[in-house]
Amino acid sequence: MGNYNQGPFRFMNFREWVPDSLRFWIYIVFLTAFQFSNGMYFTAMSQMEGELSITMNDVKMMSHAVLIGLTIYFPLAFRLKFRFTNRTSLMVAAAGLALCNLIVPHVSHPWLLVLLGFAGGFLRLYGTFECFSNILPKIAPTYNYRVFLSFVFFVVLGVIHVFDGISINIVHFWGWQRLHTLAVGMLIMVFLMAMILMRPFRPAPKMLLLGIDWGGMILWSIFILSAIFIVQYGHQLEWLASPYIRVAIGVVCISLAFNIGRMTYIRHPFLEAKAFRVHNLWNLMILFLCLGILLASKNSLQNIYAGGMLHYGQMTLGKLKWIEFIGALLGAIFSWQALTRFNLGYKTVTFIGFTAVVAYVGMMYFIVTPYTNLEKLFIPLVLCNFGHLAIFIALTSYIQATAPFPNYFQILCILGFIRTGIASPIGDALYQTGISALIGKHAVALGSYPNAFAATLQELYGYTFLFGIVVLTAIASSRFKQLAYKPLPALRTIYDAVKAKMGQ
């Protein structure tokens, strides 16, 4: 059964003959494999679109399904951790994700790819969480969540840019299918290393998977994926003129009604009503929605500008991934130091992060011309990714300090529906609608299509900048509750809390 206390720097999940000095780095290898591996690869989307004869909206829907699969895992995180050993979980996550990567290159139906992306996202976070939860005592011996989150988001949102740069080179020289081949190889390595190097150690007694609301998990997944479908395909299908959109709206309403109803009569619903009543949750949801709309300008307008107007190829755009990585690294370091060493408030760090993102939008307004050099994008991208990391770290640390721990992972799931779910499609839909509405006006006024396109993008960046100023004003005038530092509970405390919550 093992002991509750593993000690802060010794990983008890390994066989005794594995040197202590290597154990942390083995987890880093596992993390690298899981972070590189996905059911879908965003850098290969344009190639998949051409070879599979699917639309860009299909491709984006697949990518959103991956992120919702990640999000829906959160409420199950500690139930799975206390049911299975770390060794078993890593092997299952690696094997399942490898299977998804084997299947995807041989499937062309968009909705099967969406389901595979959802499963791949779930398994990816399953393996990632098992790694992070075990190296936490090494990264933050005092269980300071602000330190740990700075590391987590740097890996999840920062290092991913390095992997994207590598992926772009692989796709360019060998094709998008080779990404899946490489991922399968890395995941097989994780499976074999976990099987050989690790032992079935339990940090706490086994907890059965009783009381999990699997039906609620399915209904919430249907709800958020249907909502994303409406926003993502609305412009293409002409909104309510399409029967598909009308059906999807009906599915959203019905699934939401069922979910709300289940909160009242299910003993342990997947998302509890009191999770929605946590202090400032709705304000945080609005902030993440605003952030998603601002960041969508990078994913929509900048990509259209760089590829459609400046005609930069994938290899050239791949160089920008290293610039984005630098911005993310600076954002993680700043947040770590600001929240722990200088004790800046969560509101201050959030305001600084949003200021950096709004500054990115403002700089892009002046940069957009048909003759911009690649180097002019460096500083705006550093600012954008700096702000992205700072906001995620500050707001997630804030909710950890606010929320009762038994509901914390449910709240992460709720916030995930916004920050990695519906926010980006809403922003994308707004920008696509704006381009369609403005391009004709500018084409008539300017005559030249490149100049009209540049004027359209510039106008949209201008509106986005004004929106960002409104967001900054709202943050500056808002009142964040003053919170004392609250460390993450030790594993024994977490186990007892989960057991008591589930009535076992």
Side-chain angles (χ1 to χ4, degrees):
M1 182 178 295
N3 300 317
Y4 281 116
N5 298 318
Q6 298 185 39
F9 300 109
R10 192 161 199 266
F11 304 101
M12 304 300 293
N13 298 303
F14 291 89
R15 301 185 188 277
E16 286 301 319
W17 52 266
V18 178
D20 286 354
S21 59
L22 294 180
R23 298 183 184 191
F24 173 79
W25 297 107
I26 291 172
Y27 274 120
I28 296 300
V29 170
F30 291 169
L31 265 177
T32 301
F34 283 118
Q35 287 305 297
F36 181 84
S37 304
N38 246 331
M40 306 290 166
Y41 295 90
F42 305 151
T43 53
M45 291 304 182
S46 58
Q47 288 78 6
M48 292 180 68
E49 178 187 7
E51 291 192 26
L52 300 180
S53 299
I54 55 180
T55 69
M56 181 53 69
N57 281 325
D58 294 331
V59 167
K60 291 179 179 178
M61 189 69 200
M62 296 170 204
S63 67
H64 296 315
V66 172
L67 298 176
I68 294 303
L70 289 166
T71 296
I72 213 71
Y73 168 80
F74 281 118
L76 304 177
F78 278 108
R79 296 304 307 279
L80 294 177
K81 183 170 185 63
F82 292 132
R83 172 59 180 87
F84 303 106
T85 65
N86 184 237
R87 176 178 183 262
T88 298
S89 292
L90 288 170
M91 291 171 65
V92 169
L97 193 50
L99 183 61
C100 289
N101 277 277
L102 279 172
I103 296 174
V104 164
H106 306 288
V107 175
S108 58
H109 194 284
W111 288 104
L112 286 177
L113 290 169
V114 166
L115 292 176
L116 285 169
F118 179 88
F122 183 95
L123 292 164
R124 180 188 177 195
L125 189 56
Y126 186 13
T128 299
F129 179 82
E130 285 296 326
C131 294
F132 276 136
S133 62
N134 278 276
I135 66 174
L136 187 156
K138 184 74 171 180
I139 301 297
T142 60
Y143 287 81
N144 187 328
Y145 208 58
R146 295 171 296 185
V147 174
F148 185 60
L149 272 179
S150 299
F151 174 77
V152 168
F153 281 117
F154 170 64
V155 172
V156 173
L157 298 177
V159 176
I160 192 65
H161 295 302
V162 175
F163 294 144
D164 285 346
I166 295 171
S167 298
I168 287 172
N169 282 272
I170 293 173
V171 171
H172 179 79
F173 290 107
W174 293 288
W176 65 272
Q177 295 90 344
R178 293 297 170 266
L179 283 177
H180 294 273
T181 304
L182 178 59
V184 169
M186 295 177 70
L187 292 165
I188 290 174
M189 174 195 68
V190 170
F191 183 91
L192 293 176
M193 288 179 68
M195 182 175 65
I196 295 169
L197 302 178
M198 305 184 78
R199 62 190 178 98
F201 171 83
R202 290 190 179 279
K206 181 190 294 186
M207 183 180 293
L208 300 178
L209 295 180
L210 299 177
I212 294 179
D213 182 16
W214 299 106
M217 172 182 162
I218 294 171
L219 282 171
W220 278 111
S221 301
I222 292 172
F223 163 75
I224 191 61
L225 287 172
S226 299
I228 292 173
F229 172 84
I230 293 168
V231 178
Q232 189 63 61
Y233 287 87
H235 183 71
Q236 175 184 332
L237 299 178
E238 298 183 351
W239 299 103
L240 292 177
S242 168
Y244 297 107
I245 297 296
R246 296 197 296 269
V247 168
I249 291 174
V251 171
V252 166
C253 295
I254 293 171
S255 59
L256 180 60
F258 271 108
N259 282 319
I260 294 174
R262 290 170 70 87
M263 290 180 188
T264 63
Y265 67 82
I266 295 293
R267 184 181 179 189
H268 302 298
F270 189 73
L271 298 177
E272 296 181 347
K274 58 185 176 183
F276 289 90
R277 295 195 293 265
V278 168
H279 179 77
N280 266 349
L281 175 65
W282 293 94
N283 293 335
L284 293 178
M285 292 171 69
I286 293 172
L287 282 176
F288 277 120
L289 177 61
C290 294
L291 176 63
I293 293 172
L294 289 170
L295 291 177
S297 65
K298 179 169 77 76
N299 298 326
S300 296
L301 302 182
Q302 181 186 301
N303 288 346
I304 293 173
Y305 171 60
M309 179 176 292
L310 300 181
H311 305 294
Y312 290 150
Q314 285 296 311
M315 295 296 288
T316 301
L317 296 177
K319 298 177 182 177
L320 297 178
K321 293 297 180 180
W322 293 98
I323 304 301
E324 295 183 62
F325 169 76
I326 292 172
L329 175 61
L330 294 175
I333 293 173
F334 164 77
S335 302
W336 164 41
Q337 292 292 308
L339 292 173
T340 57
R341 182 176 179 182
F342 300 108
N343 291 317
L344 295 183
Y346 298 108
K347 174 182 174 178
T348 302
V349 177
T350 301
F351 184 83
I352 292 172
F354 267 101
T355 300
V357 175
V358 173
Y360 155 79
V361 175
M363 293 183 72
M364 290 301 297
Y365 174 84
F366 294 102
I367 286 175
V368 172
T369 70
Y371 316 105
T372 298
N373 295 326
L374 181 70
E375 291 74 15
K376 290 184 178 180
L377 297 176
F378 289 179
I379 293 178
L381 283 176
V382 168
L383 287 171
C384 184
N385 285 274
F386 171 91
H388 189 185
L389 264 289
I391 295 166
F392 265 62
I393 293 168
L395 293 185
T396 309
S397 298
Y398 178 81
I399 200 65
Q400 187 271 334
T402 306
F405 185 80
N407 296 114
Y408 175 63
F409 280 84
Q410 292 183 358
I411 294 167
L412 285 184
C413 182
I414 295 168
L415 291 176
F417 287 161
I418 303 297
R419 65 184 183 184
T420 58
I422 197 70
S424 180
I426 288 176
D428 189 52
L430 289 173
Y431 293 123
Q432 292 299 326
T433 302
I435 290 173
S436 299
L438 296 175
I439 189 71
K441 180 189 75 172
H442 288 296
V444 171
L446 299 175
S448 168
Y449 179 78
N451 290 332
F453 198 33
T456 298
L457 295 179
Q458 190 176 43
E459 185 171 349
L460 289 174
Y461 272 120
Y463 291 141
T464 306
F465 181 76
L466 294 176
F467 171 72
I469 294 298
V470 172
V471 173
L472 287 176
T473 304
I475 295 173
S477 60
S478 66
R479 183 170 170 271
F480 277 47
K481 181 180 178 182
Q482 294 299 316
L483 300 167
Y485 163 63
K486 184 174 74 172
L488 186 72
L491 194 60
R492 172 66 181 268
T493 307
I494 295 172
Y495 174 82
D496 291 339
V498 174
K499 186 176 180 180
K501 179 178 175 62
M502 306 311 296
Q504 295 182 12

